[in-house]
Amino acid sequence: MCGRMSAALLGLAAGILSLWLQGALAFAQLEEAPTHQVYIATYRGCEEVCQAFKSYLTDRGLPVEFIERSIDRDVTRIPDLVKEVKGLRPDLLVTWGTAISLGMVGPYGTADSKRYVTDIPTVYLYVADPAGANLVERPDVSGRPNLAGANIQVPLEAQLRIMQSYHPDLQRIGVVYGANELNSVAAVTALRVAASLFDVEVVERQLELGPDGLPLPQSIEPSMQAIAETDPDFLVTVSSTFIIQNIETYTRAAVDAGLPVFTSAELPIRDGDAMLALFASLASIGQIAGYQAEQILRDGALPGELTTPSLQRFTLLINMPVALELERYPPMLVLQFAELMG
């Protein structure tokens, strides 16, 4: 009996030792795991999308050192960031928005390795239409060895169907934008094509540009008044750095001109006076980019070989104070599946 007890105790001790060794080994591996250096280039600091990206990686247990740089809305600073990235050679470069992404990695097909970052793994973040902006080859794949990202755009067909549900006699939509932004021009072209399939006319007004080639904020109000004369059923926002910078002025000028604003982004309705929005949340945009980054950092995936994922879940939000101000009450059908704000 004593022998059996000794054998049992020895077996128990061996089991405890084995578990201890496994835990020690796992801890040692965790301690020895290399820290990934991730360089994040942003337009106006690390906002909600950027924060969600960072949280995704840390929540997934990746040891990461973040290097954050903001151009503070000054695109002339982008070359300095390119120079710094080339010197630091981080494990991953993350570029926020269309302007910074194009400014740092260049357009699709570029071979200018002196001007752009072409040999460091890169994930673009919060780019509304990467294919339309000529950042990537096509929507499902970047076609560039060092570049990956995600599609965050709400399909245009879905946008038009929502507008049609809210206003069944949809005949005309308006767009006010700056022709200096290639992504805005591409978005208007795509909108015009999609709208034609619904027999919907697109009317547009281009904002006046200043000597520096950028839209003049003081041209927003007269542009809204001018397009209101064409009597569009909605004013539609398109991807634009300028519009986001001036979102309160832009949407308020539209409402003052009697125009209900439809948007496929969250900021124009959260921070501005857009009336109707169908959008992917800012958090989900950061998270899906984080998923791409995780595959590169943890799994060693090559950016150019990753399929470009698309967001599938969107939120429909109605700004009720604006709807009441414009006397554009939502129909019961829309109220059944929309969220109400205010």
Side-chain angles (χ1 to χ4, degrees):
M1 180 176 177
C2 238
R4 287 198 298 271
M5 287 183 65
S6 296
L9 288 172
L10 285 172
L12 179 61
I16 292 172
L17 180 61
S18 176
L19 289 172
W20 182 86
L21 288 172
Q22 290 175 22
L25 180 61
F27 181 78
Q29 290 174 339
L30 184 62
E31 285 287 296
E32 295 170 5
T35 298
H36 303 289
Q37 195 175 67
V38 177
Y39 187 108
I40 304 178
T42 64
Y43 188 76
R44 56 179 187 273
C46 193
E47 40 60 81
E48 190 172 346
V49 174
C50 169
Q51 292 292 348
F53 171 83
K54 291 169 57 181
S55 295
Y56 179 92
L57 293 183
T58 53
D59 291 347
R60 297 288 292 174
L62 268 74
V64 177
E65 174 195 357
F66 294 109
I67 300 172
E68 298 178 36
R69 297 288 186 268
S70 172
I71 63 170
D72 294 325
R73 307 176 187 236
D74 181 2
V75 294
T76 64
R77 297 175 59 182
I78 292 177
D80 293 335
L81 270 58
V82 171
K83 182 178 179 180
E84 183 179 37
V85 168
K86 288 184 175 184
L88 291 173
R89 298 203 63 80
D91 298 298
L92 183 70
L93 166 64
V94 179
T95 57
W96 187 101
T98 304
I100 291 180
S101 298
L102 284 172
M104 295 198 73
V105 302
Y108 172 73
T110 185
D112 191 347
S113 59
K114 291 185 178 179
R115 181 177 179 183
Y116 302 116
V117 178
T118 59
D119 61 348
I120 293 173
T122 303
V123 170
Y124 58 84
L125 177 71
Y126 207 19
V127 176
D129 186 7
N134 198 32
L135 180 64
V136 299
E137 180 182 9
R138 57 180 197 264
D140 61 324
V141 66
S142 75
R144 307 178 66 170
N146 71 312
L147 187 63
N151 293 318
I152 62 171
Q153 188 177 40
V154 180
L156 286 170
E157 180 183 353
Q159 297 181 42
L160 286 156
R161 290 197 184 282
I162 288 297
M163 283 186 273
Q164 208 170 48
S165 296
Y166 201 104
H167 187 81
D169 189 28
L170 186 69
Q171 296 181 2
R172 185 179 299 109
I173 54 179
V175 189
V176 173
Y177 67 102
N180 63 305
E181 295 188 65
L182 294 178
N183 52 315
S184 297
V185 175
V188 172
T189 300
L191 179 62
R192 191 181 295 111
V193 172
S196 68
L197 302 177
F198 289 76
D199 293 323
V200 172
E201 179 188 2
V202 176
V203 292
E204 61 179 87
R205 289 291 182 275
Q206 294 183 4
L207 295 162
E208 183 183 351
L209 304 182
D212 58 359
L214 300 177
L216 297 171
Q218 59 266 34
S219 71
I220 293 175
E221 184 177 349
S223 296
M224 292 298 178
Q225 294 293 337
I227 205 165
E229 294 179 3
T230 67
D231 197 26
D233 299 307
F234 285 97
L235 182 87
V236 179
T237 67
V238 294
S239 171
S240 165
T241 297
F242 174 81
I243 291 176
I244 291 299
Q245 281 182 301
N246 297 275
I247 197 60
E248 293 182 24
T249 302
Y250 183 93
T251 53
R252 177 36 55 182
V255 173
D256 288 346
L259 300 172
V261 177
F262 172 85
T263 180
S264 60
E266 187 172 359
L267 285 175
I269 196 166
R270 298 288 190 195
D271 296 348
D273 288 314
M275 186 189 79
L276 183 64
L278 181 68
F279 60 88
S281 71
L282 297 177
S284 66
I285 293 171
Q287 290 162 0
I288 198 169
Y291 169 71
Q292 293 290 78
E294 180 184 20
Q295 294 181 83
I296 295 167
L297 297 174
R298 190 196 298 277
D299 305 331
L302 298 176
E305 295 181 359
L306 292 174
T307 300
T308 305
S310 297
L311 290 170
Q312 302 296 327
R313 299 183 64 180
F314 305 104
T315 298
L316 178 62
L317 184 62
I318 301 171
N319 188 334
M320 285 304 298
V322 172
L324 294 174
E325 180 180 350
L326 293 171
E327 298 185 353
R328 294 289 297 271
Y329 310 110
M332 290 302 299
L333 175 65
V334 175
L335 285 172
Q336 291 177 13
F337 51 87
E339 296 180 17
L340 304 182
M341 173 181 165

